[in-house]
Each structure stands twice: as C-alpha cells, then as structure tokens.
Coordinates of all heavy atoms in Angstrom, one line a residue:
F1 N 97.0 87.4 119.1 CA 98.2 86.8 118.3 C 99.2 87.9 118.0 O 98.8 89.0 117.6 CB 97.7 86.2 117.0 CG 96.8 85.0 117.2 CD1 95.4 85.1 117.3 CD2 97.4 83.8 117.3 CE1 94.6 84.0 117.4 CE2 96.6 82.7 117.4 CZ 95.2 82.8 117.5
P2 N 100.5 87.6 118.2 CA 101.5 88.7 117.9 C 101.4 89.1 116.5 O 101.3 88.3 115.6 CB 102.8 88.0 118.2 CG 102.4 86.7 119.0 CD 101.0 86.4 118.7
G3 N 101.5 90.4 116.2 CA 101.5 90.9 114.9 C 100.1 91.0 114.2 O 100.0 91.5 113.1
A4 N 99.1 90.6 114.9 CA 97.7 90.6 114.2 C 97.2 92.0 114.4 O 97.4 92.7 115.4 CB 96.8 89.6 114.9
L5 N 96.4 92.4 113.4 CA 95.6 93.7 113.5 C 94.6 93.6 114.5 O 93.9 92.5 114.7 CB 95.0 94.0 112.1 CG 95.9 94.2 110.9 CD1 95.2 94.5 109.7 CD2 97.0 95.2 111.2
T6 N 94.4 94.7 115.3 CA 93.4 94.6 116.4 C 92.2 95.5 116.1 O 91.2 95.4 116.8 CB 94.0 95.1 117.7 OG1 94.6 96.4 117.5 CG2 95.1 94.1 118.1
D7 N 92.3 96.3 115.0 CA 91.2 97.3 114.7 C 91.0 97.2 113.2 O 91.9 97.3 112.4 CB 91.5 98.6 115.1 CG 90.4 99.7 114.9 OD1 89.4 99.3 114.5 OD2 90.7 100.9 115.1
Q8 N 89.7 97.0 112.7 CA 89.4 97.0 111.3 C 90.0 98.2 110.6 O 90.3 98.1 109.4 CB 87.9 96.8 111.1 CG 87.4 95.5 111.6 CD 85.8 95.5 111.4 OE1 85.3 96.4 110.9 NE2 85.3 94.4 111.8
A9 N 90.0 99.3 111.2 CA 90.4 100.6 110.6 C 91.9 100.5 110.1 O 92.2 101.2 109.1 CB 90.3 101.8 111.6
E10 N 92.6 99.6 110.7 CA 94.1 99.4 110.3 C 94.1 98.9 108.9 O 95.2 99.0 108.2 CB 94.8 98.6 111.3 CG 94.9 99.2 112.6 CD 95.6 98.2 113.6 OE1 96.9 98.1 113.6 OE2 94.9 97.5 114.4
A11 N 93.1 98.1 108.5 CA 93.1 97.5 107.1 C 92.4 98.3 106.1 O 92.5 98.0 104.9 CB 92.4 96.1 107.2
F12 N 91.8 99.5 106.5 CA 91.1 100.3 105.5 C 91.9 100.8 104.4 O 93.0 101.4 104.6 CB 90.4 101.5 106.3 CG 89.5 102.3 105.3 CD1 88.3 101.9 105.0 CD2 90.0 103.5 104.9 CE1 87.5 102.6 104.2 CE2 89.2 104.3 104.1 CZ 88.0 103.8 103.6
G13 N 91.5 100.6 103.2 CA 92.3 101.1 102.0 C 93.4 100.2 101.6 O 94.1 100.5 100.6
L14 N 93.6 99.1 102.2 CA 94.7 98.1 101.8 C 94.0 97.0 101.1 O 92.8 96.7 101.2 CB 95.4 97.7 103.0 CG 96.0 98.9 103.9 CD1 96.8 98.2 105.1 CD2 97.0 99.6 103.0
E15 N 94.8 96.2 100.4 CA 94.4 95.0 99.7 C 95.2 93.8 100.3 O 96.3 93.9 100.7 CB 94.5 95.1 98.3 CG 95.9 95.0 97.7 CD 95.9 95.1 96.1 OE1 94.9 95.4 95.5 OE2 97.0 94.7 95.6
A16 N 94.6 92.7 100.3 CA 95.1 91.4 100.7 C 96.3 91.0 99.8 O 96.1 91.0 98.5 CB 94.1 90.3 100.9
R17 N 97.5 90.7 100.3 CA 98.6 90.2 99.5 C 98.7 88.6 99.6 O 99.4 88.0 98.9 CB 99.9 90.8 100.0 CG 100.0 92.2 99.9 CD 100.1 92.6 98.5 NE 100.2 94.1 98.5 CZ 100.6 94.8 97.4 NH1 100.8 94.1 96.3 NH2 100.7 96.1 97.4
V18 N 97.9 88.0 100.5 CA 97.8 86.6 100.7 C 96.4 86.2 100.9 O 95.6 87.1 101.1 CB 98.7 86.1 101.9 CG1 100.1 86.5 101.8 CG2 98.1 86.7 103.2
T19 N 96.1 84.9 100.9 CA 94.8 84.5 101.1 C 94.4 84.7 102.6 O 95.1 84.4 103.5 CB 94.6 82.9 100.7 OG1 95.0 82.8 99.4 CG2 93.2 82.5 100.9
I20 N 93.2 85.3 102.8 CA 92.7 85.6 104.2 C 91.6 84.5 104.4 O 90.7 84.3 103.7 CB 92.1 87.0 104.2 CG1 93.1 88.0 103.8 CG2 91.6 87.3 105.7 CD1 94.2 88.3 104.7
Y21 N 91.8 83.8 105.6 CA 90.8 82.8 106.0 C 89.9 83.3 107.2 O 90.4 84.0 108.1 CB 91.5 81.5 106.3 CG 92.3 80.9 105.2 CD1 93.6 81.1 105.0 CD2 91.6 80.1 104.3 CE1 94.3 80.5 104.0 CE2 92.2 79.5 103.2 CZ 93.6 79.7 103.1 OH 94.3 79.2 102.0
A22 N 88.7 82.9 107.2 CA 87.7 83.3 108.2 C 88.3 82.7 109.6 O 88.7 81.5 109.6 CB 86.3 82.8 107.9
G23 N 88.2 83.5 110.6 CA 88.6 82.9 111.9 C 90.0 83.0 112.2 O 90.4 82.8 113.3
R24 N 90.9 83.4 111.3 CA 92.3 83.4 111.5 C 92.7 84.9 111.6 O 92.1 85.8 110.9 CB 93.1 82.8 110.3 CG 92.9 81.3 110.3 CD 93.9 80.6 109.4 NE 93.6 79.2 109.4 CZ 94.2 78.4 108.5 NH1 95.0 78.9 107.6 NH2 93.9 77.1 108.5
P25 N 93.7 85.2 112.3 CA 94.2 86.6 112.5 C 94.8 87.2 111.2 O 95.4 86.4 110.4 CB 95.2 86.5 113.6 CG 95.6 85.1 113.7 CD 94.5 84.3 113.2
V26 N 94.6 88.4 111.0 CA 95.2 89.1 109.8 C 96.3 89.9 110.3 O 96.2 90.7 111.2 CB 94.2 90.0 109.2 CG1 94.8 90.7 108.0 CG2 93.0 89.2 108.6
R27 N 97.6 89.7 109.8 CA 98.8 90.4 110.2 C 99.0 91.6 109.3 O 98.5 91.6 108.1 CB 100.0 89.5 110.2 CG 99.9 88.3 111.2 CD 101.1 87.5 111.0 NE 101.3 87.2 109.6 CZ 101.5 86.0 109.1 NH1 101.7 85.0 109.9 NH2 101.7 85.8 107.8
A28 N 99.7 92.6 109.7 CA 100.0 93.8 108.9 C 100.7 93.4 107.6 O 100.4 94.0 106.5 CB 100.8 94.8 109.7
G29 N 101.6 92.4 107.6 CA 102.3 92.0 106.5 C 101.4 91.2 105.4 O 101.8 91.0 104.3
D30 N 100.2 90.9 105.8 CA 99.3 90.2 104.9 C 98.6 91.2 104.0 O 97.9 90.8 103.0 CB 98.2 89.5 105.6 CG 98.8 88.3 106.5 OD1 99.9 87.8 106.2 OD2 98.1 87.9 107.4
L31 N 98.7 92.5 104.3 CA 98.0 93.6 103.6 C 99.1 94.5 102.9 O 100.2 94.6 103.4 CB 97.2 94.4 104.5 CG 96.1 93.6 105.3 CD1 95.4 94.4 106.3 CD2 95.1 92.9 104.3
G32 N 98.6 95.2 101.9 CA 99.5 96.2 101.3 C 98.7 97.2 100.5 O 97.5 97.1 100.4
L33 N 99.4 98.2 100.0 CA 98.8 99.3 99.3 C 98.1 98.6 98.0 O 98.7 97.7 97.4 CB 99.8 100.3 98.8 CG 100.3 101.2 100.0 CD1 101.5 102.0 99.4 CD2 99.3 102.0 100.6
P34 N 97.0 99.2 97.5 CA 96.4 98.7 96.3 C 97.4 98.9 95.1 O 98.1 99.9 95.0 CB 95.2 99.6 96.2 CG 94.9 100.2 97.4 CD 96.2 100.3 98.2
A35 N 97.4 97.9 94.3 CA 98.3 97.9 93.1 C 97.8 98.9 92.1 O 96.6 99.0 91.8 CB 98.4 96.5 92.5
V36 N 98.7 99.7 91.6 CA 98.5 100.6 90.5 C 99.1 100.1 89.2 O 98.8 100.6 88.1 CB 99.0 102.1 90.8 CG1 98.2 102.6 92.0 CG2 100.4 102.1 91.1
I37 N 100.0 99.1 89.4 CA 100.7 98.5 88.2 C 100.6 97.0 88.3 O 100.8 96.5 89.4 CB 102.2 98.9 88.2 CG1 102.4 100.3 87.9 CG2 102.9 98.0 87.2 CD1 103.8 100.8 87.9
E38 N 100.1 96.4 87.3 CA 99.9 94.9 87.2 C 101.1 94.3 86.5 O 101.8 95.0 85.7 CB 98.7 94.5 86.5 CG 97.4 95.0 87.2 CD 97.1 94.4 88.5 OE1 97.5 93.1 88.7 OE2 96.6 94.9 89.4
R39 N 101.4 93.1 86.9 CA 102.5 92.3 86.2 C 102.2 92.3 84.7 O 101.1 92.1 84.2 CB 102.5 90.9 86.8 CG 103.7 90.1 86.3 CD 103.8 88.8 87.0 NE 105.1 88.1 86.7 CZ 105.3 87.3 85.7 NH1 104.3 87.2 84.8 NH2 106.4 86.8 85.6
N40 N 103.3 92.5 83.9 CA 103.3 92.5 82.4 C 102.7 93.7 81.8 O 102.6 93.8 80.6 CB 102.6 91.3 81.8 CG 103.4 90.0 82.0 OD1 104.6 90.1 81.9 ND2 102.7 88.9 82.3
Q41 N 102.3 94.7 82.6 CA 101.7 96.0 82.1 C 102.9 96.8 81.5 O 104.0 96.8 82.0 CB 101.1 96.7 83.2 CG 100.5 98.0 82.9 CD 99.8 98.7 84.0 OE1 99.4 98.1 85.0 NE2 99.7 100.0 84.0
I42 N 102.6 97.5 80.4 CA 103.6 98.4 79.8 C 103.5 99.7 80.6 O 102.5 100.3 80.8 CB 103.3 98.6 78.3 CG1 103.2 97.3 77.5 CG2 104.3 99.6 77.8 CD1 104.5 96.5 77.6
V43 N 104.7 100.1 81.1 CA 104.7 101.3 82.0 C 105.8 102.3 81.6 O 106.8 101.9 81.0 CB 104.9 100.9 83.5 CG1 103.8 100.1 84.1 CG2 106.3 100.2 83.7
P44 N 105.6 103.5 81.8 CA 106.7 104.5 81.6 C 107.8 104.4 82.6 O 107.5 104.3 83.9 CB 106.0 105.9 81.6 CG 104.7 105.7 82.4 CD 104.4 104.2 82.3
I45 N 109.0 104.4 82.2 CA 110.2 104.4 83.1 C 110.8 105.8 83.0 O 111.0 106.3 81.9 CB 111.3 103.3 82.7 CG1 110.6 101.9 82.6 CG2 112.4 103.3 83.6 CD1 111.5 100.9 82.0
S46 N 111.2 106.3 84.1 CA 111.9 107.6 84.1 C 113.2 107.5 84.9 O 113.1 107.0 86.1 CB 111.0 108.7 84.7 OG 109.9 109.0 83.9
F47 N 114.3 107.9 84.4 CA 115.6 107.9 85.1 C 115.9 109.4 85.2 O 116.0 110.2 84.2 CB 116.7 107.2 84.3 CG 118.0 107.4 84.9 CD1 118.4 106.7 86.0 CD2 118.9 108.3 84.4 CE1 119.7 106.9 86.6 CE2 120.1 108.5 85.0 CZ 120.5 107.8 86.1
M48 N 116.2 109.9 86.4 CA 116.6 111.3 86.7 C 117.9 111.3 87.5 O 117.9 110.6 88.6 CB 115.5 112.0 87.3 CG 114.3 112.2 86.4 SD 112.9 113.0 87.3 CE 112.1 111.5 88.0
S49 N 118.8 112.0 87.1 CA 120.0 112.3 87.9 C 120.6 113.6 87.5 O 121.0 113.8 86.3 CB 121.0 111.1 87.5 OG 122.3 111.3 88.3
G50 N 120.7 114.5 88.4 CA 121.1 115.9 88.2 C 120.2 116.5 87.1 O 119.0 116.5 87.2
G51 N 120.8 117.0 86.1 CA 120.0 117.6 84.9 C 119.6 116.6 83.9 O 119.0 117.0 82.9
L52 N 120.0 115.4 84.0 CA 119.7 114.3 83.0 C 118.4 113.7 83.3 O 118.2 113.3 84.4 CB 120.8 113.3 83.0 CG 120.6 112.1 82.0 CD1 120.7 112.6 80.6 CD2 121.7 111.1 82.3
A53 N 117.5 113.6 82.3 CA 116.3 112.8 82.4 C 116.1 112.0 81.2 O 116.1 112.5 80.1 CB 115.1 113.8 82.6
I54 N 115.9 110.7 81.4 CA 115.7 109.7 80.3 C 114.3 109.0 80.6 O 114.1 108.6 81.7 CB 116.8 108.6 80.3 CG1 118.2 109.3 80.1 CG2 116.5 107.6 79.2 CD1 119.3 108.4 80.2
Q55 N 113.5 108.9 79.5 CA 112.3 108.2 79.6 C 112.2 107.1 78.6 O 112.8 107.2 77.5 CB 111.1 109.2 79.4 CG 111.1 110.2 80.5 CD 109.8 111.1 80.5 OE1 109.1 111.1 79.5 NE2 109.6 111.8 81.6
A56 N 111.6 106.0 79.0 CA 111.5 104.8 78.1 C 110.2 104.1 78.5 O 109.6 104.4 79.5 CB 112.7 104.0 78.3
E57 N 109.9 103.1 77.7 CA 108.8 102.2 78.1 C 109.4 100.8 78.6 O 110.5 100.4 78.1 CB 107.9 101.9 76.9 CG 107.0 103.0 76.6 CD 105.9 102.6 75.5 OE1 106.2 101.6 74.7 OE2 104.8 103.1 75.6
G58 N 108.7 100.2 79.5 CA 109.1 98.9 80.0 C 107.9 98.0 80.4 O 106.8 98.5 80.4
R59 N 108.2 96.9 80.7 CA 107.3 95.8 81.0 C 107.4 95.5 82.5 O 108.5 95.1 82.9 CB 107.4 94.6 80.2 CG 106.3 93.5 80.6 CD 106.4 92.3 79.7 NE 106.3 92.7 78.2 CZ 105.1 92.8 77.6 NH1 104.0 92.7 78.2 NH2 105.1 93.2 76.3
A60 N 106.4 95.7 83.3 CA 106.4 95.4 84.7 C 106.6 93.9 85.0 O 105.9 93.1 84.4 CB 105.2 96.0 85.5
L61 N 107.6 93.6 85.8 CA 107.8 92.2 86.1 C 107.1 91.7 87.4 O 107.3 90.6 87.8 CB 109.3 91.9 86.2 CG 110.1 92.2 84.9 CD1 111.5 91.9 85.1 CD2 109.6 91.4 83.7
A62 N 106.4 92.7 88.0 CA 105.7 92.4 89.3 C 104.5 93.4 89.3 O 104.6 94.4 88.6 CB 106.6 92.4 90.5
R63 N 103.6 93.2 90.2 CA 102.6 94.2 90.5 C 103.0 94.9 91.7 O 103.7 94.4 92.5 CB 101.2 93.5 90.6 CG 101.0 92.7 91.9 CD 99.8 91.9 91.8 NE 98.5 92.6 91.6 CZ 97.7 93.1 92.6 NH1 98.0 92.8 93.8 NH2 96.6 93.7 92.3
G64 N 102.5 96.2 91.9 CA 102.9 96.9 93.0 C 102.0 98.2 93.1 O 101.3 98.6 92.3
G65 N 102.1 98.7 94.4 CA 101.4 100.0 94.7 C 102.3 101.2 94.8 O 103.6 101.0 94.7
V66 N 101.8 102.3 95.0 CA 102.5 103.5 95.1 C 103.6 103.4 96.1 O 103.3 103.0 97.3 CB 101.6 104.8 95.4 CG1 102.4 106.0 95.6 CG2 100.6 105.0 94.2
G67 N 104.9 103.8 95.8 CA 106.0 103.7 96.8 C 106.7 102.4 96.9 O 107.8 102.4 97.4
E68 N 106.2 101.4 96.3 CA 106.9 100.1 96.2 C 107.9 100.1 95.1 O 107.8 100.7 94.1 CB 105.9 98.9 96.1 CG 105.0 98.8 97.3 CD 104.0 97.6 97.2 OE1 103.5 97.4 96.0 OE2 103.8 96.9 98.1
V69 N 108.9 99.3 95.3 CA 110.0 99.0 94.3 C 109.7 97.7 93.6 O 109.5 96.7 94.2 CB 111.4 99.0 95.0 CG1 112.4 98.7 94.0 CG2 111.7 100.3 95.7
I70 N 109.7 97.9 92.3 CA 109.5 96.7 91.5 C 110.5 96.6 90.3 O 111.2 97.6 90.1 CB 108.0 96.6 90.7 CG1 107.9 97.9 89.8 CG2 106.9 96.6 91.8 CD1 106.7 97.7 88.9
R71 N 110.7 95.5 89.7 CA 111.6 95.3 88.6 C 110.8 95.5 87.3 O 109.7 95.1 87.2 CB 112.2 94.0 88.6 CG 113.2 93.8 89.8 CD 113.9 92.5 89.8 NE 113.7 91.9 88.5 CZ 114.1 90.6 88.1 NH1 114.7 90.0 89.0 NH2 113.9 90.1 86.9
V72 N 111.5 96.2 86.4 CA 110.9 96.5 85.0 C 111.9 96.2 84.0 O 113.1 96.5 84.1 CB 110.5 98.0 85.0 CG1 109.8 98.3 83.6 CG2 109.5 98.4 86.1
M73 N 111.4 95.6 82.9 CA 112.3 95.4 81.8 C 112.2 96.5 80.7 O 111.1 96.7 80.2 CB 112.0 94.0 81.1 CG 113.0 93.7 79.9 SD 112.7 92.1 79.1 CE 111.1 92.4 78.5
N74 N 113.3 97.1 80.4 CA 113.3 98.2 79.4 C 113.0 97.5 78.0 O 113.7 96.6 77.7 CB 114.6 98.9 79.3 CG 114.7 100.0 78.3 OD1 114.2 99.9 77.2 ND2 115.3 101.1 78.7
L75 N 111.9 98.0 77.3 CA 111.6 97.2 76.1 C 112.6 97.5 74.9 O 112.7 96.6 74.1 CB 110.1 97.7 75.6 CG 109.0 97.3 76.5 CD1 107.7 97.9 76.1 CD2 108.9 95.8 76.7
A76 N 113.3 98.6 75.0 CA 114.3 98.9 73.9 C 115.5 98.1 74.1 O 116.1 97.5 73.1 CB 114.5 100.3 73.8
S77 N 116.1 98.1 75.3 CA 117.3 97.4 75.5 C 117.3 96.0 76.2 O 118.3 95.4 76.3 CB 118.1 98.3 76.5 OG 117.6 98.3 77.8
R78 N 116.1 95.7 76.6 CA 115.9 94.3 77.3 C 116.6 94.3 78.6 O 116.8 93.2 79.2 CB 116.3 93.2 76.4 CG 115.5 93.1 75.1 CD 114.1 92.6 75.4 NE 113.4 92.4 74.1 CZ 112.2 92.5 73.9 NH1 111.4 92.9 74.9 NH2 111.6 92.3 72.8
T79 N 117.0 95.4 79.2 CA 117.7 95.5 80.4 C 116.7 95.5 81.6 O 115.7 96.2 81.5 CB 118.6 96.7 80.5 OG1 119.5 96.7 79.5 CG2 119.3 96.8 81.8
T80 N 116.9 94.9 82.6 CA 116.0 94.9 83.8 C 116.6 95.9 84.8 O 117.7 95.9 85.2 CB 115.9 93.5 84.4 OG1 115.4 92.5 83.4 CG2 115.0 93.5 85.6
V81 N 115.7 96.7 85.3 CA 116.0 97.7 86.3 C 115.0 97.7 87.4 O 113.9 97.2 87.2 CB 116.1 99.2 85.7 CG1 117.1 99.3 84.6 CG2 114.7 99.6 85.0
S82 N 115.3 98.2 88.5 CA 114.4 98.4 89.7 C 114.1 99.8 89.8 O 115.0 100.7 89.7 CB 115.0 97.8 90.9 OG 115.2 96.4 90.8
G83 N 112.8 100.1 90.2 CA 112.4 101.5 90.4 C 111.2 101.5 91.3 O 110.5 100.6 91.5
R84 N 111.0 102.8 91.9 CA 109.9 103.0 92.8 C 108.7 103.6 92.0 O 108.8 104.4 91.1 CB 110.3 104.0 93.8 CG 109.3 104.3 94.9 CD 109.9 105.0 96.1 NE 111.2 104.5 96.6 CZ 111.2 103.5 97.5 NH1 110.2 102.8 97.9 NH2 112.4 103.1 97.9
I85 N 107.5 103.0 92.3 CA 106.3 103.4 91.6 C 105.8 104.7 92.2 O 105.7 104.9 93.4 CB 105.2 102.4 91.9 CG1 105.6 101.0 91.3 CG2 103.9 102.8 91.2 CD1 104.7 99.8 91.7
S86 N 105.6 105.7 91.2 CA 105.1 107.0 91.6 C 103.6 107.0 91.5 O 102.9 106.1 91.0 CB 105.7 108.1 90.7 OG 105.2 108.0 89.4
P87 N 102.9 108.0 92.2 CA 101.5 108.1 92.2 C 100.9 108.1 90.8 O 99.7 107.7 90.6 CB 101.2 109.4 93.0 CG 102.4 109.6 93.8 CD 103.6 109.1 93.0
D88 N 101.6 108.6 89.8 CA 101.0 108.7 88.5 C 101.2 107.5 87.6 O 101.0 107.4 86.5 CB 101.5 110.0 87.7 CG 103.0 109.9 87.5 OD1 103.7 108.9 87.9 OD2 103.5 110.8 86.9
G89 N 101.8 106.4 88.3 CA 102.0 105.1 87.6 C 103.3 105.0 86.9 O 103.6 104.0 86.2
Q90 N 104.2 105.9 87.0 CA 105.6 105.9 86.4 C 106.4 105.0 87.4 O 106.2 105.0 88.6 CB 106.2 107.2 86.3 CG 105.7 108.0 85.2 CD 106.6 109.3 85.0 OE1 107.7 109.1 84.4 NE2 106.1 110.4 85.5
V91 N 107.4 104.4 86.8 CA 108.5 103.7 87.6 C 109.7 104.6 87.5 O 110.3 104.9 86.5 CB 108.8 102.3 87.1 CG1 109.8 101.7 87.9 CG2 107.5 101.5 87.1
I92 N 110.1 105.2 88.7 CA 111.2 106.1 88.8 C 112.5 105.3 89.2 O 112.5 104.7 90.2 CB 110.9 107.2 89.9 CG1 109.6 107.9 89.6 CG2 112.1 108.2 89.9 CD1 109.5 108.6 88.3
V93 N 113.5 105.4 88.2 CA 114.8 104.8 88.5 C 115.8 105.8 88.8 O 115.9 106.9 88.1 CB 115.2 104.0 87.3 CG1 116.5 103.3 87.5 CG2 114.2 102.9 86.9
G94 N 116.6 105.7 89.8 CA 117.5 106.8 90.2 C 116.7 107.9 90.9 O 115.5 107.8 91.1
S95 N 117.3 109.1 91.2 CA 116.6 110.1 91.9 C 117.2 111.4 91.6 O 118.5 111.5 91.4 CB 116.5 109.9 93.4 OG 117.8 109.8 93.9
A96 N 116.5 112.5 91.6 CA 117.1 113.8 91.4 C 117.7 114.2 92.7 O 117.2 113.9 93.8 CB 116.0 114.8 91.0
P97 N 118.8 115.0 92.7 CA 119.5 115.4 93.9 C 118.6 116.4 94.8 O 117.8 117.0 94.3 CB 120.7 116.0 93.4 CG 120.5 116.4 92.0 CD 119.4 115.5 91.5

C-alpha cells in the first residue's frame, strides 16, 4: 500500500495518532512523537526575541510532542498564541536570533 510502513522499526518510539486496526496498513502519518503536553495542561510559555525574554503560564489547547507547534492560551491575558514544544515541556513563542 502506498505510504504504508514496511518495517516495524519505523514505528519504534512513536505513538498512534489514530485508531490502528488489525490487518490494515499503518501509514507514517498515523504515528507521531509521544506527547509531552496534554490538552488543558498548565504549561510554561517563553517568548524570546533579541535580548527580551518573557515568561508566563498558559493552558495547552492541544496535546503534542517535542518539536510540534500547538496553541496555548496565556492565563493572564487570555490571548491565544502558537508555539513549539521544547524537550523540557515549555512552549516557545518567537525565537532568539
């Protein structure tokens, strides 16, 4: 099947993003990195630009793994921002030059 994984090793360390059925092919898009942030979890948000660094708390609006971009609602301002999940579980908004 086009796009189906051909070796079990390709799925090692990943989690299913959709329901997997016995006897049906598993595509690469059906799998993703393990989630480090769950939906509705309170997470640290960091904004960095040049010499400016702002940190706040937010509520994750989606679950995601390291390197994925999710939306987070800033608890203080109720503003929704998008950021990339870092290995330590922070959501990084913006980037240092």
Side-chain angles (χ1 to χ4, degrees):
F1 294 93
L5 300 180
T6 57
D7 184 6
Q8 292 178 4
E10 294 177 81
F12 184 75
L14 302 178
E15 71 177 16
R17 298 290 183 167
V18 298
T19 303
I20 306 288
Y21 295 99
R24 292 195 183 163
V26 177
R27 297 177 311 226
D30 296 341
L31 306 173
L33 295 172
V36 295
I37 293 178
E38 295 294 330
R39 188 174 190 274
N40 289 323
Q41 180 179 338
I42 303 301
V43 296
I45 304 170
S46 295
F47 172 81
M48 293 177 272
S49 179
L52 176 67
I54 301 172
Q55 295 188 345
E57 282 192 329
R59 180 175 306 276
L61 301 178
R63 68 189 307 262
V66 174
E68 293 182 319
V69 175
I70 63 168
R71 291 181 17 183
V72 179
M73 181 180 65
N74 181 318
L75 294 177
S77 68
R78 301 285 187 209
T79 301
T80 301
V81 296
S82 293
R84 188 168 307 279
I85 301 171
S86 68
D88 63 359
Q90 288 190 76
V91 177
I92 308 297
V93 179
S95 60

